[in-house]
Amino acid sequence: MSATARGIRRQRHDAAERPFIVIWESTRACPLTCRHCRAEAVPDRDPRELGTAAAKDLLGVRMAERTTRLARWVLALTGGGLLTAVAGPAAGWRPAVALGSTAQVTKLRQETPDAWVFNGIAAQYAKRPLKAAAGERVRFWVVAAGPSDGIAFHLVGTVFDTLYKEGAHLLKPDKAGGAQVLDLATAQGGFVETTFPEAGHYAFVDHDTRHADAGAHGMVEVSD
Protein backbone atom coordinates (compact mmCIF):
# COMPACT_ATOMS: atom_id res chain seq x y z
CA MET A 1 0.00 0.00 0.00
CA SER A 2 1.20 3.57 -0.65
CA ALA A 3 0.16 6.88 0.94
CA THR A 4 -0.97 9.81 -1.24
CA ALA A 5 -0.86 13.50 -0.37
CA ARG A 6 -4.37 13.24 1.06
CA GLY A 7 -3.44 10.27 3.25
CA ILE A 8 -5.45 7.74 1.25
CA ARG A 9 -3.68 4.41 0.87
CA ARG A 10 -3.73 2.67 -2.48
CA GLN A 11 -2.71 -0.89 -3.26
CA ARG A 12 0.49 -1.49 -5.19
CA HIS A 13 -0.23 -5.14 -5.93
CA ASP A 14 -3.03 -7.44 -7.00
CA ALA A 15 -4.70 -8.74 -3.80
CA ALA A 16 -5.98 -11.76 -5.69
CA GLU A 17 -2.38 -12.80 -6.30
CA ARG A 18 -0.89 -11.67 -2.99
CA PRO A 19 -3.59 -11.34 -0.32
CA PHE A 20 -2.75 -9.79 3.03
CA ILE A 21 -5.50 -11.70 4.83
CA VAL A 22 -6.50 -15.32 4.18
CA ILE A 23 -9.49 -16.91 5.92
CA TRP A 24 -9.68 -20.70 5.92
CA GLU A 25 -12.94 -22.33 7.00
CA SER A 26 -11.22 -25.53 8.08
CA THR A 27 -14.45 -27.39 8.90
CA ARG A 28 -18.19 -26.91 9.08
CA ALA A 29 -18.53 -29.59 11.75
CA CYS A 30 -19.69 -28.12 15.06
CA PRO A 31 -21.72 -29.44 18.03
CA LEU A 32 -23.53 -26.09 18.29
CA THR A 33 -26.50 -24.82 16.27
CA CYS A 34 -26.18 -21.05 16.69
CA ARG A 35 -28.76 -19.03 14.77
CA HIS A 36 -26.25 -16.29 13.99
CA CYS A 37 -23.69 -18.68 12.46
CA ARG A 38 -22.88 -17.80 8.85
CA ALA A 39 -21.17 -21.18 8.27
CA GLU A 40 -24.31 -23.38 8.21
CA ALA A 41 -22.73 -25.78 10.68
CA VAL A 42 -23.33 -29.52 10.45
CA PRO A 43 -22.79 -32.19 13.14
CA ASP A 44 -20.21 -34.29 11.26
CA ARG A 45 -17.12 -33.51 9.22
CA ASP A 46 -17.35 -33.52 5.45
CA PRO A 47 -15.26 -36.40 4.02
CA ARG A 48 -13.77 -33.95 1.52
CA GLU A 49 -12.14 -31.84 4.26
CA LEU A 50 -8.35 -31.77 4.28
CA GLY A 51 -6.63 -34.20 6.63
CA THR A 52 -3.73 -33.25 8.89
CA ALA A 53 -0.98 -33.99 6.36
CA ALA A 54 -2.68 -32.08 3.53
CA ALA A 55 -3.41 -29.14 5.84
CA LYS A 56 0.23 -28.95 6.95
CA ASP A 57 1.34 -29.05 3.33
CA LEU A 58 -1.01 -26.20 2.46
CA LEU A 59 0.05 -24.04 5.40
CA GLY A 60 3.74 -24.83 5.28
CA VAL A 61 4.39 -24.76 1.56
CA ARG A 62 1.74 -23.55 -0.82
CA MET A 63 0.25 -20.73 1.20
CA ALA A 64 3.66 -19.57 2.39
CA GLU A 65 4.87 -19.35 -1.22
CA ARG A 66 1.94 -17.09 -2.12
CA THR A 67 2.22 -14.81 0.89
CA THR A 68 5.83 -14.47 2.01
CA ARG A 69 6.50 -11.81 -0.61
CA LEU A 70 4.36 -9.51 1.58
CA ALA A 71 5.90 -7.86 4.61
CA ARG A 72 2.84 -8.61 6.73
CA TRP A 73 -0.16 -10.87 6.31
CA VAL A 74 -2.77 -12.60 8.47
CA LEU A 75 -4.17 -16.12 8.32
CA ALA A 76 -7.46 -16.82 10.13
CA LEU A 77 -8.33 -20.45 10.82
CA THR A 78 -12.01 -20.71 11.61
CA GLY A 79 -14.79 -23.26 11.78
CA GLY A 80 -16.05 -25.75 14.33
CA GLY A 81 -17.01 -23.76 17.38
CA LEU A 82 -16.14 -21.05 19.83
CA LEU A 83 -12.60 -20.09 18.95
CA THR A 84 -10.89 -18.67 15.89
CA ALA A 85 -7.11 -19.01 15.63
CA VAL A 86 -5.20 -16.24 13.89
CA ALA A 87 -1.59 -16.58 12.77
CA GLY A 88 0.78 -14.30 10.92
CA PRO A 89 3.14 -13.39 9.40
CA ALA A 90 4.15 -16.56 7.57
CA ALA A 91 7.67 -16.67 9.01
CA GLY A 92 7.20 -17.18 12.73
CA TRP A 93 3.50 -18.09 12.92
CA ARG A 94 2.66 -15.86 15.85
CA PRO A 95 -0.76 -17.10 16.96
CA ALA A 96 -3.65 -15.29 18.58
CA VAL A 97 -7.14 -16.44 19.53
CA ALA A 98 -10.44 -14.63 19.07
CA LEU A 99 -13.59 -15.56 20.95
CA GLY A 100 -16.94 -16.10 19.26
CA SER A 101 -20.28 -14.34 19.64
CA THR A 102 -21.49 -12.28 22.61
CA ALA A 103 -23.88 -15.08 23.55
CA GLN A 104 -21.05 -17.62 23.55
CA VAL A 105 -18.75 -15.38 25.57
CA THR A 106 -21.53 -14.78 28.12
CA LYS A 107 -21.97 -18.53 28.59
CA LEU A 108 -18.20 -18.89 28.92
CA ARG A 109 -18.04 -16.26 31.67
CA GLN A 110 -20.99 -17.78 33.51
CA GLU A 111 -19.47 -21.27 33.18
CA THR A 112 -22.65 -22.54 31.53
CA PRO A 113 -21.55 -23.75 28.07
CA ASP A 114 -23.83 -25.85 25.89
CA ALA A 115 -21.51 -28.84 26.31
CA TRP A 116 -18.13 -30.13 27.44
CA VAL A 117 -16.53 -32.38 24.87
CA PHE A 118 -13.71 -34.68 23.85
CA ASN A 119 -12.38 -33.76 20.37
CA GLY A 120 -15.12 -31.30 19.55
CA ILE A 121 -18.34 -33.33 19.79
CA ALA A 122 -20.28 -34.09 22.97
CA ALA A 123 -20.58 -37.80 23.85
CA GLN A 124 -19.25 -38.90 20.45
CA TYR A 125 -17.26 -41.79 21.96
CA ALA A 126 -20.30 -43.02 23.84
CA LYS A 127 -22.07 -43.41 20.49
CA ARG A 128 -18.97 -44.61 18.63
CA PRO A 129 -16.68 -46.28 21.20
CA LEU A 130 -12.93 -46.42 20.79
CA LYS A 131 -11.63 -49.93 20.00
CA ALA A 132 -8.90 -51.93 21.72
CA ALA A 133 -7.93 -55.54 22.44
CA ALA A 134 -7.49 -57.27 25.79
CA GLY A 135 -3.82 -57.24 26.78
CA GLU A 136 -3.04 -54.39 24.40
CA ARG A 137 -1.17 -51.37 25.73
CA VAL A 138 -3.12 -48.20 24.96
CA ARG A 139 -2.04 -44.57 25.21
CA PHE A 140 -4.47 -41.67 25.71
CA TRP A 141 -3.19 -38.21 24.76
CA VAL A 142 -5.11 -35.47 26.57
CA VAL A 143 -4.99 -31.68 26.21
CA ALA A 144 -7.05 -29.36 28.40
CA ALA A 145 -7.99 -27.01 25.59
CA GLY A 146 -10.10 -24.88 27.89
CA PRO A 147 -10.52 -22.04 27.34
CA SER A 148 -11.30 -21.79 31.07
CA ASP A 149 -11.59 -25.20 32.73
CA GLY A 150 -9.02 -27.95 33.23
CA ILE A 151 -9.72 -31.68 33.06
CA ALA A 152 -9.48 -34.76 35.30
CA PHE A 153 -9.25 -37.64 32.79
CA HIS A 154 -10.35 -40.92 34.43
CA LEU A 155 -10.78 -44.42 33.00
CA VAL A 156 -13.12 -46.78 34.84
CA GLY A 157 -12.04 -50.40 35.35
CA THR A 158 -8.27 -50.20 35.13
CA VAL A 159 -5.31 -48.22 36.45
CA PHE A 160 -2.78 -46.13 34.54
CA ASP A 161 0.79 -47.45 34.87
CA THR A 162 2.27 -44.57 32.83
CA LEU A 163 1.62 -40.87 33.36
CA TYR A 164 3.35 -38.12 31.39
CA LYS A 165 2.49 -34.50 32.08
CA GLU A 166 3.93 -31.22 30.84
CA GLY A 167 7.15 -32.70 29.51
CA ALA A 168 7.97 -35.13 32.31
CA HIS A 169 7.14 -38.70 33.29
CA LEU A 170 5.46 -38.85 36.71
CA LEU A 171 4.93 -42.61 36.50
CA LYS A 172 6.47 -45.41 34.41
CA PRO A 173 5.58 -49.12 34.08
CA ASP A 174 8.82 -50.21 35.72
CA LYS A 175 8.12 -48.12 38.81
CA ALA A 176 5.83 -49.01 41.70
CA GLY A 177 2.41 -47.41 41.91
CA GLY A 178 -0.48 -46.52 39.65
CA ALA A 179 -2.65 -43.54 38.80
CA GLN A 180 -6.43 -43.13 38.65
CA VAL A 181 -6.50 -39.78 36.87
CA LEU A 182 -4.56 -37.41 34.63
CA ASP A 183 -5.26 -33.95 36.02
CA LEU A 184 -4.46 -31.01 33.76
CA ALA A 185 -4.89 -27.29 34.22
CA THR A 186 -6.09 -25.20 31.31
CA ALA A 187 -3.70 -25.41 28.30
CA GLN A 188 -1.67 -28.27 29.80
CA GLY A 189 -1.20 -31.62 28.05
CA GLY A 190 0.05 -35.12 28.64
CA PHE A 191 -0.70 -38.81 28.20
CA VAL A 192 -1.49 -41.92 30.19
CA GLU A 193 -1.07 -45.60 29.33
CA THR A 194 -2.76 -48.76 30.52
CA THR A 195 -3.31 -52.38 29.53
CA PHE A 196 -6.89 -53.66 29.51
CA PRO A 197 -7.01 -56.89 31.55
CA GLU A 198 -9.98 -58.45 29.75
CA ALA A 199 -12.70 -57.85 27.19
CA GLY A 200 -15.52 -55.52 28.10
CA HIS A 201 -16.65 -51.92 28.03
CA TYR A 202 -14.52 -49.37 29.89
CA ALA A 203 -15.97 -45.89 30.42
CA PHE A 204 -13.81 -42.78 30.48
CA VAL A 205 -14.85 -39.37 31.76
CA ASP A 206 -13.77 -35.95 32.81
CA HIS A 207 -14.20 -36.61 36.53
CA ASP A 208 -15.69 -33.17 37.09
CA THR A 209 -19.29 -34.43 36.97
CA ARG A 210 -20.55 -31.17 35.45
CA HIS A 211 -18.34 -31.85 32.47
CA ALA A 212 -19.11 -35.56 32.24
CA ASP A 213 -22.88 -35.03 32.41
CA ALA A 214 -22.67 -32.40 29.67
CA GLY A 215 -20.82 -34.57 27.16
CA ALA A 216 -17.26 -35.20 28.36
CA HIS A 217 -17.61 -38.98 28.55
CA GLY A 218 -17.01 -41.95 26.30
CA MET A 219 -16.35 -45.66 26.08
CA VAL A 220 -13.58 -48.05 25.07
CA GLU A 221 -14.86 -51.33 23.62
CA VAL A 222 -12.29 -54.03 24.36
CA SER A 223 -12.41 -57.35 22.51
CA ASP A 224 -10.56 -60.65 23.08
Side-chain angles (χ1 to χ4, degrees), residues 119-152:
N119 287 338
I121 300 177
Q124 64 171 316
Y125 300 120
K127 300 172 184 176
R128 301 183 181 91
L130 300 175
K131 307 291 185 180
E136 177 184 10
R137 172 167 292 276
V138 177
R139 174 178 292 182
F140 296 89
W141 282 94
V142 185
V143 175
S148 299
D149 284 19
I151 185 173

Side-chain angles (χ1 to χ4, degrees), residues 8 31 64 103 115 138 159-160 170 184 189 191 223:
I8 299 175
V138 177
V159 175
F160 302 128
L170 303 183
L184 299 170
F191 66 79
S223 59

Side-chain angles (χ1 to χ4, degrees), residues 84-97:
T84 296
V86 180
W93 292 98
R94 297 167 57 190
V97 174

